[in-house]
Amino acid sequence: MRPITDAEREVLDLFLSVEFEGVGAFRKQAMHILGVEPDCICGCPSIKFHVDRAKAPAAPEFCLMPTEVEDLARPAGVPSSVLCLVDKEGYLASLECVYYDGIVTEWPDTDRCAVILRDTGRKMTSVLLPSGALVRPDDEEDPWASFGEAGLGFTATTRKGWTETYSASGELVSRVRST
């Protein structure tokens, strides 16, 4: 076991930067991390947490972390994702870093990352952009199926087939039927 690094702390803090049920317990747990250890044999930076459970409460109910972090602007153009896993007792378990184009040993730069927030049915409800703007689907009855970088902004495709384009500041630029 070793201390959590600044880069690991930044990624964890990004997960906990949006509001969702149970986030208060997870934020308290994050303040009481005793240390971390590597949690992958492939060479990626994934880690397992050791939380002081005597000082930090469990999340109210066992749940999946409803947030994901996605690096939208990697130099090669291939996104990466980070998942924060929770154990069955409601404690932070690990950060899993997934690179889709090979093994990368470093955490993504949080300045390029978006935080995707999902509801209990795992539907995307909002995205916190790297600019700090929080965007939601234009029609709350038509959740996003995908979300990614597009030029200087971001684009999302809804489950009903609409493509929504947002500026980097989070302003809806267009909403058109996908072909």
Side-chain angles (χ1 to χ4, degrees):
M1 188 167 60
R2 62 167 174 75
I4 189 170
T5 67
D6 290 343
E8 293 162 346
R9 174 68 65 186
E10 284 181 23
V11 172
L12 179 58
D13 288 348
L14 193 55
F15 271 96
L16 304 176
S17 67
V18 294
E19 296 300 320
F20 58 88
E21 188 175 343
V23 73
F26 292 126
R27 287 174 181 154
K28 184 121 180 165
Q29 291 173 25
M31 294 182 339
H32 294 287
I33 293 174
L34 298 170
V36 299
E37 62 184 83
D39 194 34
C40 190
I41 59 171
C42 79
C44 73
S46 297
I47 56 170
K48 177 181 177 180
F49 296 114
H50 294 276
V51 176
D52 186 343
R53 294 176 181 216
K55 293 182 179 176
E61 293 182 25
F62 168 68
C63 64
L64 293 173
M65 181 72 71
T67 53
E68 299 170 32
V69 169
E70 189 165 330
D71 186 347
L72 297 174
R74 286 195 52 224
V78 179
S80 66
S81 296
V82 182
L83 305 174
C84 187
L85 304 178
V86 177
D87 69 20
K88 65 183 177 181
E89 287 86 30
Y91 283 90
L92 296 170
S94 62
L95 284 179
E96 299 291 328
C97 193
V98 181
Y99 288 95
Y100 300 102
D101 60 342
I103 298 169
V104 178
T105 59
E106 298 174 358
W107 292 99
D109 180 352
T110 55
D111 290 338
R112 298 187 316 238
C113 291
V115 180
I116 299 169
L117 185 62
R118 297 181 184 275
D119 65 15
T120 55
R122 302 300 294 157
K123 295 177 184 160
M124 273 188 252
T125 60
S126 60
V127 174
L128 179 66
L129 300 176
S131 67
L134 185 68
V135 294
R136 291 181 170 82
D138 189 55
D139 177 356
E140 65 183 51
E141 299 297 318
D142 187 15
W144 292 326
S146 66
F147 189 86
E149 185 177 32
L152 297 177
F154 301 87
T155 188
T157 303
T158 73
R159 292 182 183 260
K160 294 180 182 175
W162 291 89
T163 298
E164 299 176 355
T165 303
Y166 297 83
S167 68
S169 65
E171 180 182 339
L172 179 64
V173 176
S174 69
R175 185 172 196 267
V176 297
R177 182 63 90 171
S178 301
T179 55

